[in-house]
Amino acid sequence: MKIELKKYDEQIIEWPKSGYHIMAQYDEEEIIVYQSYRKEIGEFAVKNQFFAGEFSLTRMTWIKPNFLWMMYRNGWGTKEGQ
């Protein structure tokens, strides 16, 4: 799947104006969302199709507004466990 890119001022017109939403791109085979967590958490989720294992509901989670913010928060992929 090729990620579709749009400028922010063009994309914001299409986004919902209120409520809670998960922004993603998808087709019949894939869903792409921005997320950042340790490899073990992702592997468990893919294998079992739910979050558990090393995933914790008591740990603070950051909503990533875009890819660059996610990369900044995880030290550009250099922080331990990223």
Side-chain angles (χ1 to χ4, degrees):
M1 173 179 191
K2 183 177 179 182
I3 296 176
E4 179 183 342
L5 303 176
K6 289 186 181 179
K7 293 182 178 181
Y8 178 79
D9 59 348
E10 296 171 358
Q11 184 64 52
I12 196 168
I13 295 168
E14 298 179 25
W15 287 342
K17 303 297 184 234
S18 64
Y20 299 101
H21 306 276
I22 296 174
M23 302 299 190
Q25 291 186 23
Y26 62 93
D27 63 17
E28 295 79 24
E29 297 180 10
E30 297 176 304
I31 299 173
I32 298 174
V33 297
Y34 297 123
Q35 184 60 281
S36 177
Y37 41 70
R38 292 180 30 225
K39 181 179 177 180
E40 296 81 12
I41 293 171
E43 288 175 344
F44 183 97
V46 169
K47 179 180 178 185
N48 298 285
Q49 296 297 294
F50 64 93
F51 286 104
E54 295 189 34
F55 178 79
S56 172
L57 290 174
T58 60
R59 184 178 181 278
M60 178 176 274
T61 300
W62 289 90
I63 301 300
K64 286 69 173 182
N66 62 47
F67 179 74
L68 289 177
W69 177 248
M70 178 189 67
M71 292 301 294
Y72 168 77
R73 290 292 303 166
N74 74 23
W76 302 97
T78 62
K79 287 185 178 178
E80 184 177 338
Q82 298 298 317

